[in-house]
Each structure stands twice: as structure tokens, then as C-alpha cells.
Amino acid sequence: MDPLTHLLDGPRARRAFTLRVVMSGSWSIDVQDKAPLTVVAMMTGHAWLTADGDSHRLSPGDVVLVRGPNPYTIGDDPLSATDAIIHPGQICTSASGQDLILEMSHGIRSWGNATQGKNTMLVGTYESDTEVTAAVTQGLPRVAVVPAGHVSVELVKLLEREITTDAPGQGSAADRLLDVLLVHTVRAWVQLHPDAEQGWLAGSTDPVSAGALELFHSRPESGWTLASVAQSLNISRATLASRFRSSVGGPPMSYLTNWRMLLASEMLADAQMTTAKIAKAVGYASPFAFSTAFKRRYGVSPTGYRTHNYRAN
């Protein structure tokens, strides 16, 4: 199972922050929410998104992925003065600290400095540390822009309709549509930049690495060793280690450990999944061994991680 398939199969966005943003005139939004991932779909007009000193002009139909947690700005011009600052928890203030939530709210999940403006966009923010999403996007740049024509316009319009309705199940439907938009955008970016791939994206193009990735993703519960993976692929351990490191960027077993931890962090969202069940599902012989590895990866026990990240949901 490749990471994109897992993204579609597993629980992803949970009450993601989604808005239709409408802006007019000169404007600039300083996003400091520390979110791990944001999807922006430009509907009408234009905008400039600036991150880490690089500016990207967005036109109608463009979809962009922004990897956090570092801040970025989006506005009519990279040099425009800041009108609003988005803080963690999606708290919105002016540059001077004034609360702007009521002033810039315009109906059902519509936000901006005008009710009708020439610049409109959809913004979907994954606010929690969605670890498997991080695994999927780790081969992408800080800002990945997919130009118009490469992501379904119908999908984006369907998300817009779902965002701006109060129909039953709106939240879950918007979450799922945001997930699908993310996957389609990642796919499109990979197809447009075949030579810029890193991590599992690059590994997927190398037959040896792709074979190992398929084993890891489809059977993470198996007791894989370098020798058993090499045997399954009918190659030597040295060849496997060399090819995998060259394409993916690290040792096969390190990748497997990281993938197991990513899966485990997601499974903790399910209250029915005990530590023992998760340990078995991701290939650990005992809950103790799993808890030790998890704490080494995240700095907190599985129980502590669940309480901090999911109990509030």
C-alpha cells in the first residue's frame, strides 16, 4: 500500500479548518498558525504567497500546498502591509492585536475584508500533527504549486459548496473532500516534477526501492529485517541498502521504523485501539517494545500522545 493509498483509506482530516476567503483592494494575511499543512485553491482573481523569502503568484485554478509549521504570507502583493495575523487555533487579529473574528466573518464559513471581492480562494488547514500526511508530503517542497488544469475544477467547486452549507454532515463531508483534493494535488505535483522527487516519491521510481516500500506499506506488521526484505526481492542486502539509501535518502529499516510510528500515531485516534493492538499492528512483539520506540520517536508515551492530540476530539 503506497502512502497516497493509505491517505485515502485511513482517517485524515478531523474537523479541519476550512474557509472560503474573499479579499478586495490591497491586503495581506500573515499566517502564523503553525499548522503542519494547508491547501489553498485560488478561485478568482490573483494572490501572492510568500514563504521563506520566495514568492509565488497564484491564478484562478491554481492549487497550492504549504508545509508548516513556519509562517507564510498571502496577499495581493508581497510588499503589502499586514491586515490580519492568523495565530494557532485560527485566532485572527490585526497587526496591532485587535480581534478580527466578527469584523471579517461574512456568512457560513466565509471570511475576508469584503462580502464580494475579486479575489476568492478556498483554504483548508490541517491543524493537528497529521503524521501520515507528513509522510505523504515529505518529498514535496515547502510550497508546491499546481497550476490550473491539473486538478479537477469540479472537485474544488464541490468542496466550495460543501464549505458554505449548513447541511447535515457538512463537517465530515468537507474533511473527506479536502483529503481527496490533497491527494489529487500531490499526484499532480509529482507528475509535473518527476526529477524533483525526494523520499518515498523518488523511491517509487526505483524498482528495488519500490519493492521494499510496497512490502513496508502493505505489511508493516511483519517482522522485517534487511535480510528478509532482500530475500523477498531476490537481491543482496548490500544492493538493497545501497539502492534504498540512494533513492529514498536513508536506510530501509530506519524508513520502516518511521513508517510504523506514523501509522501508530494515527491509530491512536481510535479509542478502541489499545496499545497492545497497535503494537501488534505495526510489528512490535510487545506493548513495552512499542511504547519504548514510540517515546523515542515522539518524546511522549502512546497514552500521552493520545491524550494530547485526540482526547479533545
Side-chain angles (χ1 to χ4, degrees):
M1 181 185 294
D2 64 75
L4 285 178
T5 298
H6 182 86
L7 182 66
L8 282 172
D9 286 348
R12 291 271 32 89
R14 288 183 179 82
R15 303 174 188 174
F17 186 81
T18 51
L19 277 180
R20 179 175 181 268
V21 178
V22 182
M23 304 299 291
S24 182
S26 178
W27 58 279
S28 180
I29 303 169
D30 185 359
V31 184
Q32 302 180 18
D33 59 6
K34 298 185 179 181
L37 181 68
T38 297
V39 183
V40 178
M42 202 72 201
M43 305 295 288
T44 63
H46 296 84
W48 285 89
L49 192 151
T50 302
D52 302 337
D54 295 324
S55 295
H56 309 264
R57 190 173 190 268
L58 307 182
S59 300
D62 293 352
V63 182
V64 57
L65 305 179
V66 187
R67 298 178 60 193
N70 293 337
Y72 62 93
T73 64
I74 185 166
D76 72 300
D77 187 281
L79 300 179
S80 291
T82 299
D83 297 301
I85 300 175
I86 309 300
H87 304 274
Q90 302 305 318
I91 296 172
C92 178
T93 70
S94 65
S96 62
Q98 177 186 354
D99 191 326
L100 296 177
I101 293 179
L102 293 179
E103 179 180 332
M104 299 188 75
S105 294
H106 303 289
I108 301 172
R109 283 171 287 279
S110 291
W111 181 95
N113 65 5
T115 55
Q116 298 292 328
K118 67 176 184 178
N119 308 298
T120 63
M121 67 199 84
L122 304 184
V123 178
T125 301
Y126 290 77
E127 297 185 88
S128 64
D129 190 12
T130 51
E131 290 289 353
V132 175
T133 296
V136 170
T137 60
Q138 67 180 348
L140 301 174
R142 168 85 157 100
V143 176
V145 179
V146 174
H150 297 277
V151 175
S152 168
V153 174
E154 289 75 17
L155 173 58
V156 176
K157 288 183 177 179
L158 181 58
L159 176 58
E160 181 182 30
R161 289 197 297 271
E162 201 61 44
I163 289 174
T164 55
T165 182
D166 262 344
Q170 178 277 334
S172 294
D175 284 349
R176 298 289 75 78
L177 287 170
L178 179 61
D179 293 341
V180 176
L181 177 59
L182 168 62
V183 172
H184 280 234
T185 305
V186 172
R187 282 179 182 165
W189 193 90
V190 170
Q191 292 171 353
L192 291 168
H193 302 85
D195 297 329
E197 298 172 2
Q198 304 174 36
W200 69 264
L201 293 173
S204 298
T205 65
D206 174 72
V208 170
S209 300
L213 289 169
E214 174 63 24
L215 294 176
F216 295 158
H217 294 153
S218 62
R219 294 158 55 192
E221 75 284 358
S222 297
W224 296 114
T225 64
L226 187 65
S228 65
V229 174
Q231 184 177 21
S232 296
L233 300 177
N234 294 314
I235 58 175
S236 69
R237 288 180 293 177
T239 297
L240 170 61
S242 175
R243 294 274 288 273
F244 198 94
R245 181 183 290 275
S246 177
S247 61
V248 179
M253 294 300 102
S254 295
Y255 181 96
L256 175 60
T257 298
N258 187 54
W259 181 246
R260 285 170 166 168
M261 292 297 100
L262 296 173
L263 294 178
S265 70
E266 183 182 65
M267 291 178 190
L268 286 166
D270 184 350
Q272 302 302 313
M273 290 292 289
T274 64
T275 300
K277 288 181 179 179
I278 295 174
K280 183 177 180 180
V282 296
Y284 284 85
S286 70
F288 177 78
F290 163 65
S291 295
T292 300
F294 193 93
K295 188 170 185 178
R296 185 183 305 119
R297 170 67 170 80
Y298 293 103
V300 65
S301 69
T303 299
Y305 187 95
R306 170 178 274 160
T307 299
H308 178 74
N309 290 278
Y310 300 121
R311 193 59 56 83
N313 293 333

